Amino acid sequence: MICSTLRRVGHVHIYLVRKASGVSKGHHQQTVGSRPAASEFAAQGASGNVLELLGKSYPQDNYSNLSRKVLSRVGRNLHNQQHHPLWLIKERVKEHFYQQYVGRFGTPLFSVYDDLSPVVTTWQNFDSLLIPADHPSRKKGDNYYVNGTHMLRAHTSAHQWDLLHAGLDAFLVVGDVYRRDQIDSQHYPVFHQLEGVRLFSKHELFTGIKDGESLQLFEQSSRSACKQETHTMEATKLVEFDLKQTLARLVTHLFGDGLDIRWVDCYFPFTHPSFEMEINFHGEWLEVLGCGVMEQQLVNSAGAQDQIGWAFGLGLERLAMILYDIPDIRLFWSEDERFLKQFRVSDINQKVKFQPLSKYPAVINDISFWLPSENYTENDFYDLVRTIGGDLVEKVELIDKFEHPKLTVLNLCWMVG
């Protein structure tokens, strides 16, 4: 990891001053001049060690790369903390689905799972979703691995297969997800997703459709941009229509009537066709979620081979930042009462506009150092900065890069503010 690399390199210049900010943890802040213990920023992973996490033990190996900073976020479950802005978004989505979609006996059609463990197997996170073994999303530099077989989930989709295999055909999954990422106001290594899945039988999909009894869900044909090779065009278009109508109603519930929506074709390994929804909010087009018709291979492998379905996923932080005008993703982790009290509302649908906590300007400083050119990723440095500087660091940007023509080393200059 980056810490040991820096210790091996003699030429290191670091100039860092934290910025005065309203992003804080109550009144308990680390003194700016104090040096954290090595264990506070050293990545886990020495082979032979055992990590205790959420009541379970996991042996460490050369794949383990969890930082202390990230481990401190596991189990916080912001989406389940009453009156937290992420909880408000989750509850609004739940309320909408409970009211709009009712089963045969008057009970909610969609079941909700918001307390599933974020520690999953690599099979759950990748293989169950048909993500190829050589897909770049599996890279150690982009994920937090507990060890070679377990990781912190990179998406709530990691639970799709298990819930389908249990016989569920309509559900929402909410939880914290973990990805190594850059440092700025829009990115954080831990964020929260809400996943939705619905399956249809032939009877459910074609009921009410003219000549529906003669239509089929499946056929053997060729894959095109519009459909999978095992789906009929009629089934694909009906599932796609239901998906888009469902999501259009959801965002209208969240943002209000008169919202302009557009759909953009995209690619996900576990859906086809796939789409991103964009909304026009205050004159700007914003991407708010991804969705698509579920890959039939995934559905079949989970034991639901007689059904066809859709899935979507959205980021709770993304919606909360738009709806509540929250400018920085770090604020969601604040325990400052001035932040939290703004969201203690009697009605979850009440409009809230975030009021800034601090008017101090940012303090910008430079860091430069030499590094070996091999076995280094930018996310290693981001993890180190987050562990040492915590949420006081708002943005890190690479402003200069020099590779020595004779020595296999890099000189990197970063702007930290």
Side-chain angles (χ1 to χ4, degrees):
M1 291 298 293
I2 189 73
C3 294
S4 59
T5 303
L6 286 174
R7 284 196 295 270
R8 290 196 300 269
V9 180
H11 191 92
V12 181
H13 302 289
I14 298 180
Y15 308 92
L16 175 61
V17 180
R18 77 176 187 184
K19 63 171 284 189
S21 170
V23 182
S24 63
K25 183 177 180 181
H27 300 289
H28 303 286
Q29 298 181 2
Q30 182 176 298
T31 306
V32 68
S34 65
R35 179 179 178 181
S39 61
E40 288 301 310
F41 56 81
Q44 306 299 299
S47 183
N49 289 347
V50 174
L51 173 67
E52 300 290 335
L53 187 60
L54 299 178
K56 294 186 177 182
S57 300
Y58 299 93
Q60 303 290 272
D61 56 29
N62 58 4
Y63 244 79
S64 307
N65 66 346
L66 301 183
S67 67
R68 291 285 184 182
K69 178 69 174 179
V70 167
L71 284 172
S72 72
R73 299 311 195 205
V74 178
R76 287 282 300 275
N77 297 327
L78 300 183
H79 61 289
N80 288 335
Q81 295 181 17
Q82 192 169 15
H83 296 297
H84 190 280
L86 300 183
W87 176 86
L88 291 176
I89 298 294
K90 181 195 75 170
E91 291 300 309
R92 292 186 67 188
V93 174
K94 273 176 54 180
E95 177 188 68
H96 173 74
F97 274 88
Y98 281 175
Q99 291 179 353
Q100 294 293 317
Y101 307 97
V102 180
R104 288 178 295 173
F105 304 106
T107 56
L109 179 65
F110 285 81
S111 51
V112 177
Y113 300 87
D114 59 8
D115 60 354
L116 300 176
S117 173
V119 182
V120 299
T121 65
T122 54
W123 185 90
Q124 289 173 299
N125 198 80
F126 299 120
D127 301 270
S128 73
L129 297 168
L130 312 179
I131 297 174
D134 59 351
H135 196 275
S137 66
R138 292 178 180 252
K139 289 192 302 184
K140 184 177 176 181
D142 292 336
N143 297 284
Y144 287 106
Y145 283 91
V146 177
N147 54 36
T149 59
H150 289 78
M151 63 187 297
L152 296 179
R153 62 189 169 208
H155 41 214
T156 48
S157 304
H159 303 287
Q160 268 188 25
W161 191 94
D162 292 315
L163 294 174
L164 291 173
H165 190 63
L168 298 174
D169 56 13
F171 55 84
L172 303 176
V173 180
V174 193
D176 44 336
V177 298
Y178 300 78
R179 296 180 193 171
R180 304 180 73 189
D181 214 335
Q182 64 198 75
I183 298 178
D184 59 36
S185 63
Q186 303 294 315
H187 296 87
Y188 200 78
V190 191
F191 56 104
H192 298 75
Q193 283 187 342
L194 186 148
E195 182 102 1
V197 168
R198 185 175 184 185
L199 299 184
F200 300 88
S201 66
K202 176 182 174 181
H203 173 74
E204 290 170 326
L205 190 62
F206 295 135
T207 293
I209 303 297
K210 184 179 179 180
D211 298 325
E213 63 277 1
S214 65
L215 299 177
Q216 301 297 323
L217 294 178
F218 306 111
E219 66 179 10
Q220 286 301 321
S221 59
S222 58
R223 176 173 290 236
S224 69
C226 300
K227 61 180 283 298
Q228 298 174 38
E229 61 274 18
T230 57
H231 293 163
T232 64
M233 184 62 75
E234 294 85 358
T236 299
K237 289 303 180 183
L238 284 172
V239 171
E240 179 184 327
F241 177 79
D242 186 85
L243 168 64
K244 290 181 176 179
Q245 286 291 100
T246 299
L247 295 176
R249 285 192 291 264
L250 173 61
V251 296
T252 298
H253 169 71
L254 295 174
F255 290 91
D257 295 325
L259 191 67
D260 288 331
I261 297 172
R262 70 183 183 189
W263 299 95
V264 180
D265 293 339
C266 65
Y267 167 78
F268 300 115
F270 34 88
T271 56
H272 181 78
S274 303
F275 314 96
E276 288 179 343
M277 174 198 275
E278 296 183 352
I279 63 171
N280 193 313
F281 192 71
H282 296 328
E284 182 180 1
W285 285 103
L286 303 172
E287 183 263 314
V288 292
L289 59 85
C291 61
V293 178
M294 296 182 70
E295 282 285 355
Q296 196 60 38
Q297 182 182 344
L298 189 164
V299 177
N300 291 349
S301 69
Q305 57 271 12
D306 296 328
Q307 296 172 287
I308 183 175
W310 51 248
F312 74 87
L314 55 83
L316 295 183
E317 280 88 349
R318 178 69 166 160
L319 290 179
M321 292 176 80
I322 298 171
L323 282 167
Y324 303 138
D325 203 20
I326 298 175
D328 196 309
I329 196 170
R330 296 171 300 158
L331 283 163
F332 293 106
W333 295 93
S334 174
E335 295 180 4
D336 193 316
E337 183 64 17
R338 295 173 299 167
F339 173 75
L340 296 174
K341 71 180 182 181
Q342 297 185 39
F343 302 94
R344 295 198 184 106
V345 293
S346 57
D347 180 0
I348 60 174
N349 294 303
Q350 180 177 327
K351 290 186 178 181
V352 178
K353 181 176 174 59
F354 168 70
Q355 301 299 317
L357 309 181
S358 175
K359 297 182 180 179
Y360 292 107
V363 178
I364 299 175
N365 299 275
D366 292 342
I367 299 177
S368 66
F369 48 80
W370 291 97
L371 279 175
S373 58
E374 297 180 354
N375 300 321
Y376 165 77
T377 67
E378 291 185 3
N379 284 336
D380 292 334
F381 182 62
Y382 295 145
D383 266 357
L384 177 61
V385 171
R386 280 195 172 104
T387 301
I388 297 176
D391 291 342
L392 297 173
V393 180
E394 178 179 342
K395 184 177 182 178
V396 173
E397 182 179 352
L398 181 64
I399 57 176
D400 190 28
K401 179 178 179 180
F402 170 73
E403 185 169 358
H404 197 284
K406 295 183 179 179
L407 304 176
T408 57
V409 293
L410 291 172
N411 181 258
L412 304 174
C413 184
W414 299 83
M415 181 177 71
V416 180

